[in-house]
Amino acid sequence: MSKSLQAIRGMNDILPEQTPLWRYFEGTVARLLDNYGYKQIRMPIVEFTELFKRSIGEVTDIVEKEMYTFEDRNGDSLTLRPEGTAACVRAVLEHGITGGGQVQKLWYIGPMFRHERPQKGRYRQFHQIGLEVFNLDGPDIDAELIIMTWRLWGELGIRDAVKLELNSLGTSESRGRYREALVEYLSAHHDKLDEDSQRRLKTNPLRVLDTKNADTQAVLVDAPKMADYLDDESRAHFEGLKARLDAVGIPYVLNPKLVRGLDYYSKTVFEWVTDKLGAQGTVCAGGRYDGLVEQMGGKPTAGVGFAMGIERLVLMLETLEQIPEEISRQVDVYLCAFGEQAELAGLALAERVRDQLPNLRLQVNAGAGSFKSQFKKADKSGALYALILGDDEMAQQVVGFKPLRGQGEQQSIAWDALAAHLATCVVQG
Ligand code: ATP
Ligand code: MG
């Protein structure tokens, strides 16, 4: 196929054999968030470029080199969203739903776009489920976010394969003092830093902590630690969070190098990481961003949130073989009809059954075909039962009911009794 007719590198089709697992994952998360009292919000996929520059920060990887930015026909600079927090904050400000101090617990799902080097677990269009809470400033809500994800990993059967890493970045005042100390220390070791870190030292020094370069990492061993610069308020907040995680029994490790890629975090930051996916090990990440709403023109508003990468979590379910059996079967019953009269009767019968059993997954054979070919399709569909309408059944106004997975003999069921019979043998989702 010519290149122009292929999908863009790093942007994937999710094929029909993959969508059941995606829907299972998304459905599990949606139900959990409903149960904890979170409400869904849906934002556009495109925003003014300025929004991301203002919120994410000019000197972050995302804004410096990963955004899909273009001019629209009016000459406005637009960007495909690289993450969801900026648009969510814009939306709550625009609609005035946080300005009076109202608590909002929101979540969203959808595609995000970053021009990164595509590899396993890292794509240019990827999908996130994200969550943001506004106007709650205590550690109790930070804990709730983590507790919810912990429950999710449990429901999905992947709890043993993920680890929680925690850090506190403090208030902006304590972070400012820490930044000064870090810059002073790193400047004294300037020559031993890699080029990227030398540049970050000037633009965004905390990001040096995040380096993958071994020489720079060696320099960092003796660098000042954020934990020693936390003010009382940040320290109390962090202790409050840890106490709640301890109370619920959620294990964590403190990672003083965890700074997150975005500029807007303060106090709590966390990541759920796994060693099952190779280099792309972070499956969910978030933190508190109490300064962001004000930075974007709103009143001072506490905020905390996280985002999880759906591709990486789906990959984990596959890698750990945590795929529930029922999601692979998509048909309960397959109706085969032979001859024109039987086809008409079959259609009408199928609709009557659907009226009574709206959750039954009933597939009616299309494209006619011989006895043998229809049976083959019935079997291939994965259905538990085939329904058969041929000349004999038509004459007696019954339908043949044939178990396809070895649970007994074929029997005849009167048309009127079919729905009631199916209700007893098919567990409906
Ligand atoms: P990473 O360190 O892996 O680049 P990040 O810090 O850039 O992640 P966030 O912006 O915090 O990621 O996004 C939250 C989650 O979204 C990540 O933990 C990850 O699971 C997922 N994610 C981020 N970028 C990608 C991508 N390019 N492809 C697939 N998933 C991604
Ligand atoms: Mg990244």
Side-chain angles (χ1 to χ4, degrees):
M1 200 193 288
S2 79
K3 186 160 182 284
S4 60
L5 295 182
Q6 288 175 9
I8 296 164
R9 193 163 114 83
M11 303 204 180
N12 301 312
D13 299 307
I14 299 156
L15 293 173
E17 75 227 37
Q18 302 168 292
T19 50
L21 188 56
W22 279 67
R23 290 180 59 183
Y24 157 70
F25 174 76
E26 292 163 358
T28 305
V29 182
R31 184 170 35 72
L32 183 103
L33 296 176
D34 283 347
N35 293 350
Y36 275 85
Y38 288 72
K39 295 201 174 117
Q40 193 183 19
I41 180 170
R42 303 186 184 199
M43 298 86 66
I45 286 172
V46 188
E47 299 272 353
F48 288 117
T49 304
E50 189 56 26
L51 174 71
F52 301 113
K53 288 193 177 166
R54 282 260 296 274
S55 60
I56 298 171
E58 296 265 7
V59 290
T60 53
D61 284 353
I62 292 182
V63 172
E64 278 183 342
K65 52 193 187 202
E66 295 176 357
M67 296 205 302
Y68 280 90
T69 296
F70 58 96
E71 255 186 30
D72 82 350
R73 288 171 194 276
N74 315 327
D76 292 326
S77 180
L78 307 184
T79 294
L80 296 181
R81 64 181 183 195
E83 52 100 61
T85 304
C88 190
V89 170
R90 193 235 354 107
V92 297
L93 284 179
E94 193 165 333
H95 299 283
I97 57 174
T98 53
Q102 307 98 304
V103 171
Q104 296 288 346
K105 298 161 100 181
L106 306 173
W107 69 278
Y108 48 82
I109 179 169
M112 307 292 161
F113 302 84
R114 297 182 194 175
H115 194 95
E116 302 196 73
R117 194 169 68 76
Q119 54 200 288
K120 183 182 170 191
R122 190 176 294 286
Y123 311 99
R124 290 180 174 172
Q125 174 174 331
F126 62 99
H127 298 78
Q128 285 183 340
I129 293 180
L131 180 154
E132 319 290 347
V133 178
F134 298 101
N135 284 318
L136 287 173
D137 61 6
D140 49 356
I141 194 72
D142 302 15
E144 179 170 279
L145 301 196
I146 292 172
I147 291 167
M148 275 195 303
T149 48
W150 171 250
R151 173 164 297 282
L152 178 64
W153 315 142
E155 283 190 25
L156 295 171
I158 59 174
R159 200 180 258 178
D160 293 342
V162 290
K163 192 176 78 178
L164 175 62
E165 298 197 349
L166 268 190
N167 192 19
S168 173
L169 300 178
T171 56
S172 66
E173 298 78 49
S174 54
R175 202 162 52 257
R177 276 186 288 118
Y178 174 62
R179 188 183 291 116
E180 262 173 47
L182 184 68
V183 168
E184 192 182 339
Y185 173 85
L186 291 176
S187 301
H189 298 79
H190 190 268
D191 295 347
K192 295 193 211 110
L193 304 179
D194 64 283
E195 225 176 276
D196 235 15
S197 297
Q198 290 181 348
R199 192 173 51 85
R200 282 182 173 154
L201 180 56
K202 294 203 193 73
T203 56
N204 194 350
L206 257 56
R207 290 277 290 159
V208 175
L209 299 176
D210 206 20
T211 182
K212 301 280 180 290
N213 182 282
D215 296 333
T216 305
Q217 281 176 343
V219 173
L220 287 172
V221 171
D222 294 319
K225 303 276 177 287
M226 181 72 228
D228 299 327
Y229 288 79
L230 291 182
D231 52 25
D232 291 345
E233 179 193 338
S234 310
R235 204 180 297 274
H237 189 99
F238 201 35
E239 291 308 318
L241 170 60
K242 289 188 283 185
R244 286 169 173 85
L245 297 179
D246 291 338
V248 179
I250 300 178
Y252 50 83
V253 287
L254 300 180
N255 177 358
K257 300 220 175 90
L258 185 65
V259 290
R260 310 281 307 114
L262 316 178
D263 262 359
Y264 50 58
Y265 287 106
S266 57
K267 292 186 180 157
T268 310
V269 288
F270 67 91
E271 289 193 357
W272 287 100
V273 296
T274 179
D275 56 9
K276 307 288 181 210
L277 298 180
Q280 274 38 261
T282 306
V283 293
C284 174
R288 181 162 279 285
Y289 49 82
D290 290 343
L292 179 63
V293 175
E294 195 178 6
Q295 180 184 315
M296 288 174 63
K299 295 185 191 156
T301 304
V304 59
F306 66 67
M308 56 181 99
I310 304 184
E311 280 81 359
R312 291 185 194 176
L313 284 158
V314 165
L315 253 166
M316 269 200 68
L317 295 175
E318 288 169 343
T319 308
L320 299 174
E321 299 182 5
Q322 292 296 324
I323 303 177
E325 211 186 305
E326 57 284 5
I327 70 163
S328 48
R329 190 168 53 78
Q330 294 186 59
V331 180
D332 298 319
V333 182
Y334 193 101
L335 187 147
C336 309
F338 306 97
E340 204 174 313
Q341 288 311 311
E343 242 186 61
L344 296 178
L347 271 186
L349 182 61
E351 289 311 307
R352 282 221 305 277
V353 168
R354 288 181 174 123
D355 285 342
Q356 287 172 266
L357 304 175
N359 292 324
L360 184 73
R361 294 173 300 180
L362 166 59
Q363 189 167 326
V364 175
N365 183 73
S370 67
F371 199 76
K372 199 172 149 198
S373 83
Q374 289 198 35
F375 259 136
K376 220 165 148 183
K377 286 196 274 179
D379 189 45
K380 228 180 129 195
S381 76
L384 296 173
Y385 303 99
L387 300 176
I388 300 151
L389 276 175
D391 292 344
D392 292 350
E393 287 83 10
M394 288 296 287
Q396 295 170 48
Q397 308 243 313
V398 296
V399 60
F401 177 86
K402 183 177 164 61
L404 294 173
R405 316 282 149 204
Q407 316 93 323
E409 293 299 304
Q410 179 169 333
Q411 21 174 334
S412 292
I413 315 265
W415 290 352
D416 286 344
L418 180 60
H421 183 72
L422 287 171
T424 64
C425 45
V426 180
V427 183
Q428 294 166 66

